[in-house]
Amino acid sequence: MAKTDNSKLEEKLIIRREVIDKIGKQEINVVELYAGRSVMWGILSDEYKGRVKINLLSIEKERGKNPRALCGDNMKFIRGIDLNRFDIVDVDAYGIPSQQLLAIKRQDYKGWIIVTAIQSMFGKLPTDVLMANGMTQAMLQKVSAIFTKGGLQYIKNFMYTLGSRRIRGFFEDRKYYFYTRFEV
Amino acid sequence: MAEEKVLNIEELQQDDKNFNAGTEEGQRMMEKSFSELGAGRSILIDKNGKIIAGNKSQQAAIAAGIKKVRVIETTGDELVAVKRTDVDLDSVEGRKLALADNATQVVNLAWDEVQLESVRDELEGFNPSDFGVDLPDLDPEPKEKKEPQTKELRPFATNHILLSYPIDLHDRVMQAVEQLRELEGMEIETSAN
């Protein structure tokens, strides 16, 4: 059976609930960089109604997909928004959002980051991630296609270089759903 | 004989309930394919000019600078073949087109479960599982408790060496590589140009 793109909805909701509970506030601010139709945060807002007020700022690249979202390139919005106003930055990407994570780090963001990172069909990892793992430009130019194995270790090392010291979530073959914060 | 006309590509309307949300990578691949190889497979529209299949193709084609669409009218009793008179399958371009056609479909497919579910609820007799598409359960209560794992991150200490050598040395180098492979934690990938 083919699975829908949100077939890991349950796992994604579990880690978001954990983060909401960890924050422990009655009102939280969330920015989602890949909003889609805000399915997850819609479910969570209903679920936490009366206990936690969730203020959501949604960003979606595709016009017309989510009428409540800001439409455009999330990198531009990240540069223009003070992320530290938000308790959670939700980076539910289809791919590996290394540029977004670097931009979040550049703001010295102190809150929680929830990440979906999925290696593509060909498994190639972003240059940022490989260089954070010690590869050089010269190596990548010659053999970029072969750095496709052990993706989770590369992602873990990349997160470490950004200042994360632990990640918690679900880790499957080439699909990683986790949350963390930059501690350093 | 099928009716034929040429329209501005932007006259075709997107499906506001498109079941495929698409992916950024898939869209990039489609735009690259259109830019480098031109248009290949046709898209499908309904009698009102609304796109049944190929919403993402229309977007990628527009992004690649394609302005017109040739519309062939049929009632489903014949297959419409697009003939590329400038392409031989057994050429680099032909094989690239064949690869791009299949690869973009795989990479650009991301089912939009909200649209699938909403159309299933609206239209009696429409069930995505008839075509093997299994909708997730949007019930927020998990049926079985799944437990996330915590992974402690540590500084990594890995050194990388890229070896390039003349092919004449291959046997000697591979002997040395095979010895290195026995060391725990060693990762070796080989490749040739």
Side-chain angles (χ1 to χ4, degrees), chain A residues 2-4 6 9-11 17-18 34 37 39 62 120 132-133 135 149 160 165-169 171, chain B residues 24-25 56 111-115 132 134 136 138 140 142 146 148-153 155-156 160 189:
Chain A
K3 283 285 178 190
T4 59
N6 254 349
L9 189 65
E10 187 180 316
E11 286 87 342
R17 285 189 199 108
E18 280 200 3
Y34 296 84
R37 291 185 171 80
V39 171
E62 197 175 322
S120 71
N133 278 272
M135 310 299 174
K149 293 182 182 172
Y160 184 90
R165 291 297 175 262
R166 62 190 58 77
I167 56 178
R168 180 167 167 79
F171 306 93
Chain B
E24 281 187 36
E25 189 185 359
K56 304 295 175 192
W111 292 116
D112 187 328
E113 76 289 339
V114 175
Q115 294 292 6
D134 189 22
L138 294 182
K146 293 183 178 176
Q149 299 173 305
T150 299
K151 293 191 183 290
E152 299 293 332
L153 306 183
F156 62 101
H160 313 281
E189 290 278 351

Side-chain angles (χ1 to χ4, degrees), chain A residues 8-21 40 44 48 168-170 179, chain B residues 140 142 144-148:
Chain A
K8 293 298 168 193
L9 189 65
E10 187 180 316
E11 286 87 342
K12 290 180 178 182
L13 288 171
I14 287 171
I15 61 175
R16 281 159 182 77
R17 285 189 199 108
E18 280 200 3
V19 175
I20 294 169
D21 296 344
M40 279 183 292
L44 292 166
Y48 279 85
R168 180 167 167 79
F170 297 93
Y179 65 86
Chain B
E144 55 183 83
K145 180 71 177 165
K146 293 183 178 176
E147 201 55 47

